[in-house]
Amino acid sequence: MQDQAPMEDLARRAAAGDSAALDRLLTEIRPEVLRRCGRFLPCREDAEEAAQDVLLQVARHISRFEGRSRFGTWLYTVVANCCRQKYRELKRRAAEQPAAIEPSYAVDPRTTSVIAGSRVDLLEALDRLERTHPHLVAPLVYRDICQLDYAEVAERVGIPLGTLKSRLHEARKQVRPWLTGG
């Protein structure tokens, strides 16, 4: 974890308005951001677009990073939000396609490389969960997708560890039937 200290320092300097630190920070986090976006979006092009959105959001909003949590934890929030937004955009685009497409050429978003497989099911489940139990989404995203440890998730969400575990249990219970088709 020796690499965290320089990254934390870069993030604090960038948040304070140091543009050289921001440029260096963006360069250094790009590969990790792309990897994290790939956890959400199975198509590389979609993950790359989301990664660009993340880097833009970091550049625009780094001043909001207060250093109370680790920079990586703050970054996960930006990644999760941008990826979920990209998914919604892809879903909306697929729904807005003209109906005049011949059936043999119709694209099923679940079978294309744009949005495919279990990650689509998970993103759909997150959308459903957000509509019914919005307070359960962040714990599930941070723990099960971003793979942050429980203490980091509790800190990020701003709730006690016991409450986090309870919400995580409830979130998993809610999405399990949606993911298993049951």
Side-chain angles (χ1 to χ4, degrees):
M1 294 290 169
Q2 294 170 344
D3 294 333
Q4 280 184 354
M7 190 67 65
E8 296 298 319
D9 181 54
L10 271 178
R12 279 192 292 279
R13 289 184 8 232
D18 182 336
S19 60
L22 176 61
D23 289 344
R24 189 163 156 223
L25 179 69
L26 294 173
T27 299
E28 289 191 18
I29 66 172
R30 189 182 190 295
E32 177 66 13
V33 165
L34 183 56
R35 189 179 66 74
R36 289 179 183 185
C37 289
R39 285 186 181 168
F40 283 90
L41 300 162
C43 177
R44 181 160 180 87
E45 291 81 14
D46 297 336
E48 287 173 352
E49 281 184 36
Q52 287 302 318
D53 293 345
V54 169
L55 295 174
L56 182 61
Q57 291 300 316
V58 169
R60 285 183 177 164
H61 302 294
I62 189 67
S63 63
R64 294 182 186 168
F65 174 65
E66 299 171 351
R68 287 184 290 163
S69 62
R70 286 185 21 234
F71 174 71
T73 304
W74 183 83
L75 183 61
Y76 264 129
T77 303
V78 179
V79 168
N81 290 339
C82 286
C83 287
R84 291 176 63 214
Q85 184 60 38
K86 175 56 69 181
Y87 171 71
R88 287 185 193 115
E89 179 186 315
L90 292 168
K91 188 174 159 185
R92 192 172 40 252
R93 258 193 261 154
E96 292 172 354
Q97 287 181 355
I101 297 175
E102 292 192 32
S104 61
Y105 296 108
V107 175
D108 177 0
R110 291 183 183 270
T111 60
T112 65
S113 63
V114 175
I115 45 178
S118 63
R119 285 181 259 187
V120 168
D121 296 334
L122 179 60
L123 289 165
E124 283 288 333
L126 288 173
D127 273 355
R128 286 177 73 178
L129 186 64
E130 191 159 39
R131 288 190 298 271
T132 58
H133 301 90
H135 64 289
L136 300 178
V137 174
L140 188 66
V141 168
Y142 290 139
R143 178 67 190 135
D144 290 0
I145 297 174
C146 298
Q147 299 174 340
L148 296 178
D149 64 39
Y150 288 98
E152 279 185 289
V153 176
E155 176 187 328
R156 188 75 202 140
V157 177
I159 57 176
L161 189 58
T163 304
L164 167 73
K165 289 181 178 181
S166 173
R167 286 186 184 177
L168 191 54
H169 173 75
E170 182 62 25
R172 288 171 177 159
K173 188 171 90 175
Q174 291 289 324
V175 300
R176 189 172 293 119
W178 301 332
L179 296 175
T180 59

